[in-house]
Amino acid sequence: QVRTPTLFESFANWRMVVCIFTGFSSGMPLFVLYNMIPLWLRGEGLDLKTIGLFSIIGLPYNWKFVWSPLMDRFVPPFLGRRRGWALVTQICLMFALASFSVVTPSENIWHAVVVVGIVAWFSASQDIVLDAYRREILPDIELGIGNSMFVNAYRLSTLVPGSLALILADTLPWSTVHLVVAAFMIVGVITTLVMPEPKTAGVPPASFREAVVEPFREFFNRDGAKSAVLILVFMLLYKLGDSMATALVSVFYKDLGFSLLQIGTIAKGASLWSAIVGATVGGLIMVKLGINRSLWIFGVVQMVTILGFAALSMIGPDPVWLFVVVSGEYLGVGLGTAAFVAFIARSTDRRYTATQYALLTSVMGLPRTVANASTGFIVEGVGWTTFFFICTVIAIPGMIMLKWVAPWNDPKLAE
């Protein structure tokens, strides 16, 4: 009989260390695109409509399932299938992030567009391989803890582009700031060089059909096409309102009158601690309530906390209220993300984790890129206060979808 590891043994092992550092490497490029780049563009004199449209460049995050089978099928000539692809994407990301230092958006916006697109593509590719790696090294009993570690480190990575970079930008030119941020990708490179290749990643799919067709066939045939479509629609809607509300949040703070220093310290500090606490508490609550009921409760919390931004827009640049509102919003984000990630993991088949995980996370991120592109137009049309009320209403359809994909009392789906 296999001995069940103690809680300490589940926490204190090399797999948790890998989850932490790969989480940092996975999260940082995304936060560069969605936290740092909008402020940089705003400082270069670009209007909200143009900045909002930059969200479209994040489409690689939503289409990564298209090329994820290729990263399963082909193996780099060094380090193995998972580590080889991880190293390729991380080195490319380092150079792509550094190339922002020679771009001047006010003179040629298309240079910035190209670099943002390259960063998004390699960042999405890194996510494919790291998600697969994490699923393959974690035994079932450590899935909850390992993914919680990964998500928290993912959140912590926002300190670099969302806090450190803004503080440095108050005294240093942006060209230098971009180079400093790019240097932090060395964390991922070093981790990849020292972590072991998972044994289950040793044999790639034997054919094109096995790599591409089977993962999708299994997903849509598992409980029928209708069930699969409902899951995909739920992925689109559950965090739509929350995603839109935070799409241009750094610009919102700046327009409200907060300084870059206040945004980099108060706002980012509040969002960081509350999101980490939310993810951790969410994981503990799910042990008691299960994934289904957690999705219901956390969904209500993340919907209601959007209203805090509406209140802040009426209160004005008060640092205390900034801390309170941001803390509440990202506590809801952390809770919702914990349950959402658990739902995604439950919806995948272990045999096809890489491609199915890429499919579901691609759909999950679609609102962030497509819907968020309209946020600048909406804000300029109705103002910040009304915009946040609209985001709250938009969150309701995702809650309604829970009736079909995660019923409160369904013993088949509840855990």
Side-chain angles (χ1 to χ4, degrees):
Q1 184 177 359
V2 178
R3 183 179 69 86
T4 301
T6 64
L7 185 61
F8 176 78
E9 289 172 334
S10 295
F11 269 109
N13 60 61
W14 67 269
R15 292 180 293 277
M16 298 302 113
V17 176
V18 169
C19 285
I20 291 171
F21 286 107
T22 55
F24 179 92
S25 180
S26 180
M28 200 194 73
L30 177 73
F31 289 119
V32 167
L33 296 180
Y34 287 95
N35 289 147
M36 189 179 86
I37 296 302
L39 280 175
W40 172 53
L41 296 175
R42 190 64 163 170
E44 289 284 324
L46 273 67
D47 57 55
L48 279 177
K49 294 179 181 179
T50 304
I51 296 174
L53 286 173
F54 260 78
S55 297
I56 297 176
I57 305 300
L59 281 173
Y61 290 103
N62 310 120
W63 290 95
K64 60 186 179 182
F65 65 90
V66 173
W67 68 90
S68 60
L70 298 178
M71 301 181 77
D72 261 344
R73 180 71 179 87
F74 300 104
V75 183
F78 47 83
L79 297 183
R81 182 161 52 138
R82 301 305 185 205
R83 295 170 66 221
W85 281 122
L87 185 64
V88 168
T89 58
Q90 288 158 354
I91 291 177
C92 290
L93 276 169
M94 186 183 300
F95 283 101
L97 291 170
S99 49
F100 277 124
S101 63
V102 297
V103 173
T104 307
S106 58
E107 296 180 0
N108 193 325
I109 188 64
W110 290 107
H111 289 169
V113 170
V114 170
V115 177
V116 166
I118 292 172
V119 170
W121 194 85
F122 280 110
S123 177
S125 299
Q126 181 191 211
D127 288 350
I128 293 171
V129 65
L130 292 184
D131 286 341
Y133 182 91
R134 187 171 70 258
R135 186 68 175 93
E136 289 167 350
I137 65 168
L138 291 175
D140 287 348
I141 198 170
E142 293 180 1
L143 279 176
I145 297 174
N147 280 287
S148 177
M149 293 281 193
F150 181 88
V151 169
N152 283 339
Y154 192 98
R155 292 289 181 188
L156 274 171
S157 70
T158 192
L159 281 176
V160 177
S163 185
L164 175 63
L166 303 189
I167 294 171
L168 292 177
D170 253 0
T171 56
L172 297 174
W174 273 108
S175 58
T176 302
V177 174
H178 287 306
L179 292 175
V180 171
V181 171
F184 276 89
M185 282 307 302
I186 197 68
V187 172
V189 171
I190 293 175
T191 303
T192 296
L193 291 174
V194 300
M195 68 189 190
E197 179 76 359
K199 296 178 181 178
T200 54
V203 180
S207 66
F208 179 80
R209 176 182 174 83
E210 185 178 341
V212 179
V213 178
E214 289 302 316
F216 295 98
R217 187 191 63 80
E218 190 282 331
F219 178 74
F220 283 96
N221 289 346
R222 186 188 309 157
D223 296 311
K226 180 180 178 181
S227 175
V229 170
L230 285 174
I231 290 176
L232 294 177
V233 173
F234 171 70
M235 292 287 177
L236 282 170
L237 298 178
Y238 186 66
K239 294 185 74 66
L240 177 58
D242 197 61
S243 178
M244 288 184 66
T246 55
L248 295 176
V249 71
S250 295
V251 177
F252 166 62
Y253 302 145
K254 184 172 174 49
D255 285 358
L256 207 57
F258 291 105
S259 68
L260 287 180
L261 183 61
Q262 288 175 316
I263 297 172
T265 54
I266 300 174
K268 298 306 176 182
S271 65
L272 180 64
W273 82 262
S274 55
I276 290 176
V277 169
T280 303
V281 172
L284 295 174
I285 292 176
M286 276 189 287
V287 173
K288 182 68 175 179
L289 297 181
I291 294 174
N292 284 24
R293 296 183 178 185
S294 297
L295 284 168
W296 284 85
I297 296 171
F298 300 164
V300 171
V301 173
Q302 71 179 10
M303 181 173 65
V304 172
T305 52
I306 295 173
L307 295 173
F309 284 136
L312 183 63
S313 69
M314 294 182 283
I315 294 170
D318 185 317
V320 175
W321 276 104
L322 176 65
F323 181 83
V324 172
V325 168
V326 173
S327 295
E329 164 64 15
Y330 282 90
L331 181 65
V333 168
L335 290 169
T337 300
F340 208 27
V341 170
F343 180 82
I344 291 174
R346 188 179 67 184
S347 301
T348 61
D349 187 299
R350 281 191 72 102
R351 295 170 296 173
Y352 313 112
T353 303
T355 299
Q356 289 185 353
Y357 207 107
L359 170 65
L360 296 179
T361 53
S362 294
V363 174
M364 177 186 72
L366 192 59
R368 186 176 57 216
T369 47
V370 177
N372 289 3
S374 66
T375 55
F377 293 91
I378 299 174
V379 172
E380 292 201 346
V382 302
W384 285 109
T385 304
T386 304
F387 167 72
F388 289 122
F389 282 120
I390 292 173
C391 291
T392 304
V393 174
I394 289 175
I396 295 175
M399 294 298 299
I400 295 175
M401 289 296 300
L402 286 170
K403 176 182 178 182
W404 295 284
V405 300
W408 182 269
N409 289 316
D410 192 333
K412 179 183 176 181
L413 292 177
E415 292 184 1

